Amino acid sequence: MFCPKCGNEIKEATKFCPRCGKELVNQQGSAQQNSNQAQNSQQTKNVKKHTMKTISSKNMEQTTTSGFGADLISGNIKEKHFQKFYTYVKREKKTGMLVYLTTLIVLLFCVCITSFPNMIHDDGFFNTIFETILGVALLWCSFQLILNGFGQACMRLIIGASKIERQDMIESITIPVEAIIAEARRNGLTLPDDIKVYQMKTDEAVVYAFGMNSIGVSYAMTELPEEVFKAKVLAELYRIHIMDPDYLLFMLGSNLISMILGLFAIVVGWFYMTFGDRRKGLLTESDSMMGALLFASSIVCLSAWMGICFLFIRGGVRANQFEADRYVAQSGYGEALCVYLDNCMPRAFKVGLKLLEMGHPSRDHRIAALQKLGVAYKVY
């Protein structure tokens, strides 16, 4: 038996081609199955049309049966988003992220406390209080921007995701994804009511959720079997359900200021180390020596902090990905997800995709975890 798409020789009982992922139909009972597929295809088109009309309605009611309930996510997910994100982390006992958030808050608090006396001495008591309140307000607003539309828009620029405008792309990408979203809501996933579907400008077959309101799909993904396509989309929707896409946005945003300051200190240190005065005073070091110390210490501190942040985020992202895969397996698409991971998932990621894959477990670890859950997948 040969694959009708790539011509690879395969065994009779194989459900998917191990090379290209093409769904196969056994010769026995193929006519009946083709008839059923035609009937199911027409039913699917009718469901998609009905789902499209339902999703376009702004007054669509959302059923919530998830663990953290409608009190955590209701209506527009963008309202008080950071507060909901922090509440979810505490409720679900996400230890790594909770430690990271606590460490960040403690560091900010220590910086404010140590600089408060000098600020009072220089600016006066009332001016200091005003500046402190203003700084806290700006910090809070920055967290909101990071986790909401601004952060997702920045991520779209990095990964090359664009709005879908062509009608053929809407039919092949937007409508199927929105149909899966509607089905996932009916099955109990708590999803925001304003998820937008974008096209990812890559030749690889990929689907990624970046932020709570954005999901990107490449055109190559639509050429895969329907079960494989649906399995990957369901995994990303479950990540939205547990707020996993916010981990990366929060890590990048909360460390943006520290990265800018660290890079500035490195540049200043390098400048003084290279062009500074090398004459040493009686009780002071030379400008060149101080610049070298600033340059080296800035690199060490920035690298250490970035490494610690990555470890905190990696623990949460890794656990959430395994949880999403388990949900897909329980939904009956575990084998299809294994086919995607083993045959269709990119072997080498570009810069933007590497960012989205940060902290995720390897394909072999994910397949092994699915097989332990009872998914009957083997490489033929």
Side-chain angles (χ1 to χ4, degrees):
M1 182 177 178
F2 296 91
C3 175
K5 183 176 181 180
C6 65
N8 182 39
E9 184 176 2
I10 49 181
K11 296 183 178 180
E12 292 292 337
T14 306
K15 190 174 182 180
F16 296 97
C17 176
R19 174 179 294 178
C20 66
K22 172 71 176 177
E23 185 178 8
L24 306 172
V25 180
N26 294 330
Q27 294 179 357
Q28 183 177 1
S30 59
Q32 181 180 359
Q33 189 167 357
N34 289 334
S35 176
N36 293 336
Q37 285 179 350
Q39 184 178 1
N40 292 336
S41 177
Q42 183 63 35
Q43 292 177 354
T44 302
K45 291 181 180 178
N46 295 333
V47 170
K48 289 179 180 178
K49 291 180 180 178
H50 175 72
T51 303
M52 186 63 181
K53 294 180 181 179
T54 305
I55 292 175
S56 62
S57 173
K58 295 183 179 179
N59 298 323
M60 183 181 65
E61 296 182 358
Q62 179 175 331
T63 303
T64 303
T65 58
S66 61
F68 48 96
D71 59 327
L72 182 60
I73 300 181
S74 57
N76 193 339
I77 195 100
K78 296 180 180 179
E79 298 176 359
K80 299 181 180 178
H81 193 99
F82 177 70
Q83 181 180 354
K84 291 181 178 181
F85 179 55
Y86 189 71
T87 302
Y88 167 74
V89 169
K90 291 194 298 183
R91 286 189 180 184
E92 298 298 313
K93 298 179 180 180
K94 303 290 184 179
T95 308
M97 194 62 184
L98 189 60
V99 172
Y100 173 78
L101 288 170
T102 305
T103 304
L104 184 63
I105 292 173
V106 169
L107 288 175
L108 293 174
F109 182 77
C110 291
V111 170
C112 292
I113 291 298
T114 54
S115 61
F116 202 77
N118 295 329
M119 291 175 64
I120 293 178
H121 181 269
D122 296 335
D123 301 333
F125 180 77
F126 291 104
N127 288 337
T128 301
I129 296 297
F130 175 76
E131 291 172 0
T132 303
I133 295 175
L134 181 62
V136 172
L138 290 175
L139 185 64
W140 175 262
C141 291
S142 67
F143 283 151
Q144 301 301 321
L145 289 174
I146 291 163
L147 295 175
N148 293 326
F150 177 77
Q152 296 177 50
C154 293
M155 187 63 70
R156 287 199 299 270
L157 292 175
I158 294 174
I159 65 177
S162 61
K163 183 179 178 181
I164 300 177
E165 296 179 342
R166 290 174 46 175
Q167 187 61 34
D168 58 332
M169 294 297 181
I170 293 175
E171 293 177 357
S172 60
I173 297 179
T174 305
I175 294 178
V177 172
E178 289 183 337
I180 298 173
I181 291 173
E183 181 182 349
R185 286 197 184 101
R186 292 193 297 268
N187 292 336
L189 290 192
T190 305
L191 302 172
D193 54 5
D194 55 350
I195 297 179
K196 295 181 180 179
V197 183
Y198 296 90
Q199 181 185 2
M200 300 185 68
K201 302 294 185 179
T202 178
D203 296 332
E204 305 287 355
V206 292
V207 178
Y208 286 107
F210 43 96
M212 296 295 293
N213 308 92
S214 303
I215 183 169
V217 183
S218 68
Y219 180 75
M221 196 72 201
T222 63
E223 298 178 341
L224 299 180
E226 184 178 353
E227 288 188 356
V228 177
F229 179 85
K230 187 173 182 179
K232 179 57 176 170
V233 173
L234 281 177
E236 295 303 306
L237 292 179
Y238 190 85
R239 290 181 58 235
I240 294 178
H241 169 77
I242 58 176
M243 295 188 175
D244 182 63
D246 276 350
Y247 276 41
L248 181 60
L249 286 177
F250 186 84
M251 181 189 72
L252 295 176
S254 61
N255 288 283
L256 182 61
I257 296 177
S258 61
M259 290 175 65
I260 293 175
L261 292 177
L263 293 175
F264 178 76
I266 291 174
V267 172
V268 171
W270 174 84
F271 180 82
Y272 276 98
M273 179 180 65
T274 306
F275 304 104
D277 191 354
R278 299 181 180 274
R279 292 176 296 179
K280 182 177 179 182
L282 183 61
L283 300 176
T284 58
E285 297 290 343
S286 65
D287 292 342
S288 179
M289 178 63 70
M290 296 301 296
L293 290 175
L294 178 62
F295 178 78
S297 60
S298 298
I299 292 179
V300 171
C301 293
L302 187 61
S303 301
W305 177 247
M306 292 297 103
I308 291 173
C309 294
F310 174 76
L311 291 177
F312 282 141
I313 302 302
R314 181 179 181 273
V317 170
R318 183 182 179 86
N320 288 339
Q321 185 63 72
F322 283 130
E323 191 175 339
D325 291 349
R326 181 166 59 251
Y327 169 78
V328 175
Q330 292 172 351
S331 301
Y333 296 94
E335 185 176 356
L337 182 59
C338 287
V339 170
Y340 170 79
L341 294 173
D342 212 19
N343 302 283
C344 310
M345 185 177 178
R347 296 288 172 177
F349 293 95
K350 298 179 180 178
V351 176
L353 299 183
K354 281 184 179 179
L355 184 63
L356 293 177
E357 279 289 322
M358 184 182 298
H360 287 252
S362 66
R363 73 184 72 225
D364 290 336
H365 283 94
R366 293 175 63 181
I367 293 175
L370 287 167
Q371 290 174 334
K372 289 180 180 179
L373 292 173
V375 175
Y377 172 76
K378 295 180 180 180
V379 179
Y380 295 98

